[in-house]
Amino acid sequence: MNYDQLLSKRVSRMDVNILREILKSASRPGIISLAGGIPAPESFPTDIIAALTTTVLKTYGASALQYGPTEGFYPLREAVSHFIRKKGIMARPDDVQITSGSQGALDAIGKILISKGDKVAIESPTYLGALHAFNPYEPEYVRIEADEDGPIPEKLERLLESHKIKFIYLVPTFQNPTGNTISLKRRKEIADVICRQNALLVEDDPYSDLRYQGEDIIPIQTLATDHVIYLGTFSKILAPGLRVGYCLAPKAIKKWMIIAKQGIDLHTGSLSQAIASFYLTEGYIDDHLPLILNFYKPRLAAMLEGLEAYFPSGFSWSRPEGGMFVWVKGPEGLDMGRIHDEAFKENIAFVPGRYFHIGHREGLETMRLNFTMHDEKTIRNALHLLADILERNVSAGFHDQRVTSFSYA
Ligand SMILES: Cc1ncc(COP(=O)(O)O)c(C=O)c1O
């Protein structure tokens, strides 16, 4: 049977996720992978989850295993509305929609907002998973010009004036892949722009709870509430396998998010939601989140120190105060795809940055490094090896190199 002929036209927009292939290869035994984008398993509170599973079943019995409302488990919606108050977000429990991770919300957003040819404004580089969620609905991506402080407000305003933009997608805090954070000043300016231009922003915020130093910065949602769909998640502060996230959206959009979710998965797992609710309300998060932060903080420090100590001149990198990633930029003309192939032979993996860009030849000289998965010593050793490979390439001259495809044989 020719199964291909059964597939919808839409699947042609669902590229094979190259990142998945890279991560698959990078997870082979013996590879030191700075490629991953996942939390360290040691950060998961398995004992707490075991205890909470018992508590949930004792408290709710079989109803914790029953179908539930699409909007989410009410005690969790209450707990989330309380939790996000610390971020400055004022929302009633009824305003909170529970989602299957932020990814579930991104999928619903694509479904309800994007028609073929609609323009979606994004940063480049940006989170690939968002593009994968949106791509089947055939948007046209428009790039927002940015500098180290984030999108440039004047450029954003010009873009909104000159294009009919359906929505803007941003990860303002410890962005994936760059680790960059939009400053408070910029957030205020961006909020002014979107209010003035009557635009809609999707603010994807999975990393702001992972702050190892510096001051929290309020979400753009707090500055332009009626213009923002805000996405949060338990994936980085509890466990991603529970698949629990949350979304706040203007009322008219929230209604459709719920209708879309009914078709996608009816609701997020009841047991996971109840566990997440006790995690917040019983104060487990207050003890456990500091442990996660203490666990990752030295890893980020080791990465930044290693880059400083070993990387050749001509390289620059982001200096995030949290999150999971550091972004490295090499001299123009360097092909990180080729470096990746070489590094892979020496059992080091990272993600070449070009995969996070919308333009085909953009970001060739960049790479994303993850610091959550290895201890400090391993991170330093991996960076030392990587620096040697970079040094070799830099001194050999690399300007004639072509973009190479990856080989994982
Ligand atoms: C920017 C961004 N958004 C969304 C997600 C998806 O997270 P979740 O596990 O909540 O679906 C990720 C995952 O790494 C991410 O980096």
Side-chain angles (χ1 to χ4, degrees):
M1 176 140 184
N2 181 358
Y3 294 101
D4 285 347
Q5 71 184 7
L6 302 177
L7 298 172
S8 74
K9 283 196 187 124
R10 203 171 302 113
V11 299
S12 66
R13 303 276 304 181
M14 300 181 188
D15 305 339
V16 177
N17 187 339
I18 182 80
L19 199 53
R20 286 180 86 93
E21 301 301 312
I22 292 178
L23 296 178
K24 212 161 81 191
S25 311
S27 65
R28 285 212 314 242
I31 304 282
I32 303 175
S33 176
L34 306 177
I38 58 177
E42 303 93 310
S43 75
F44 303 152
T46 44
D47 290 350
I48 293 175
I49 290 174
L52 287 181
T53 305
T54 306
T55 308
V56 165
L57 292 173
K58 272 197 186 138
T59 311
Y60 296 112
S63 67
L65 304 170
Q66 185 54 284
Y67 287 113
T70 306
E71 290 85 345
F73 179 57
Y74 197 78
L76 177 60
R77 297 169 74 198
E78 267 182 322
V80 168
S81 85
H82 189 73
F83 175 64
I84 58 183
R85 233 170 269 167
K86 288 183 214 136
K87 300 174 194 279
I89 299 178
M90 294 303 171
R92 293 165 304 146
D94 281 344
D95 301 327
V96 177
Q97 184 200 334
I98 302 302
T99 60
S100 298
S102 343
Q103 197 65 34
L106 291 169
D107 184 32
I109 287 167
K111 206 169 192 175
I112 66 163
L113 292 183
I114 304 174
S115 300
K116 184 176 176 176
D118 279 351
K119 290 181 176 156
V120 175
I122 58 168
E123 291 171 285
S124 182
T126 192
Y127 170 55
L128 263 191
L131 303 189
H132 281 112
F134 302 153
N135 284 347
Y137 306 102
E138 306 189 49
E140 207 180 284
Y141 294 113
V142 184
R143 183 203 174 107
I144 308 168
E145 277 190 60
D147 57 24
E148 317 77 66
D149 282 340
I152 302 166
E154 301 75 36
K155 304 270 187 193
L156 178 63
E157 183 135 41
R158 208 104 336 119
L159 194 79
L160 293 169
E161 281 165 354
S162 56
H163 292 78
K164 199 163 169 250
I165 302 287
K166 246 318 162 58
F167 63 88
I168 302 157
Y169 171 75
L170 294 178
V171 184
T173 308
F174 312 136
Q175 198 231 29
N176 180 1
T178 62
N180 286 340
T181 292
I182 302 177
S183 66
L184 177 60
K185 180 170 175 286
R186 275 284 167 90
R187 287 178 195 226
K188 288 180 178 163
E189 291 165 346
I190 291 168
D192 286 348
V193 169
I194 60 177
C195 290
R196 211 164 34 237
Q197 294 295 330
N198 214 9
L200 180 67
L201 166 69
V202 174
E203 179 173 25
D204 189 4
D205 188 23
Y207 298 109
S208 64
D209 296 308
L210 296 185
R211 177 174 277 285
Y212 318 122
Q213 62 184 69
E215 295 290 313
D216 285 335
I217 306 181
I218 47 171
I220 300 173
Q221 196 275 354
T222 64
L223 303 163
T225 308
D226 294 340
H227 294 266
V228 176
I229 302 176
Y230 177 86
L231 313 182
T233 181
F234 285 84
S235 289
K236 322 294 174 186
I237 57 171
L238 178 54
L242 292 177
R243 306 307 303 135
V244 183
Y246 51 92
C247 166
L248 302 171
K251 224 177 183 166
I253 289 179
K254 181 170 161 253
K255 174 184 141 193
W256 288 106
M257 294 283 289
I258 290 164
I259 293 170
K261 186 171 171 62
Q262 275 166 5
I264 295 168
D265 60 2
L266 292 178
H267 62 85
T268 297
S270 306
L271 186 60
S272 292
Q273 291 191 69
I275 290 169
S277 85
F278 278 122
Y279 183 64
L280 293 184
T281 57
E282 299 303 302
Y284 289 99
I285 188 170
D286 302 326
D287 293 332
H288 190 69
L289 184 55
L291 297 181
I292 300 178
L293 301 184
N294 287 337
F295 188 70
Y296 289 151
K297 186 178 175 170
R299 294 183 173 199
L300 170 60
M303 179 159 280
L304 294 175
E305 282 157 22
L307 287 165
E308 198 69 59
Y310 308 129
F311 267 40
S313 63
F315 286 76
S316 58
W317 49 88
S318 59
R319 288 175 173 76
E321 295 183 327
M324 298 186 9
F325 307 106
V326 173
W327 184 251
V328 177
K329 197 168 188 301
E332 212 163 302
L334 183 70
D335 173 9
M336 285 296 186
R338 182 179 281 255
I339 302 291
H340 175 275
D341 280 359
E342 260 185 65
F344 203 71
K345 288 190 196 128
E346 298 191 30
N347 295 331
I348 310 285
F350 62 85
V351 184
R354 73 177 164 111
Y355 295 113
F356 302 100
H357 289 81
I358 44 173
H360 187 56
R361 294 192 61 83
E362 265 183 275
L364 293 177
E365 72 289 2
T366 59
M367 64 164 107
R368 186 189 76 174
L369 298 177
N370 163 267
F371 58 81
T372 56
M373 290 298 281
H374 296 287
D375 62 35
E376 294 89 287
K377 187 162 172 249
T378 310
I379 289 173
R380 272 191 287 269
N381 289 344
L383 290 178
H384 206 164
L385 278 167
L386 202 48
D388 287 347
I389 297 167
L390 291 169
E391 187 80 65
R392 272 204 309 268
N393 277 269
V394 172
S395 15
F398 45 78
H399 293 285
D400 295 336
Q401 291 175 2
R402 299 251 166 85
V403 179
T404 52
S405 57
F406 291 104
S407 52
Y408 292 111

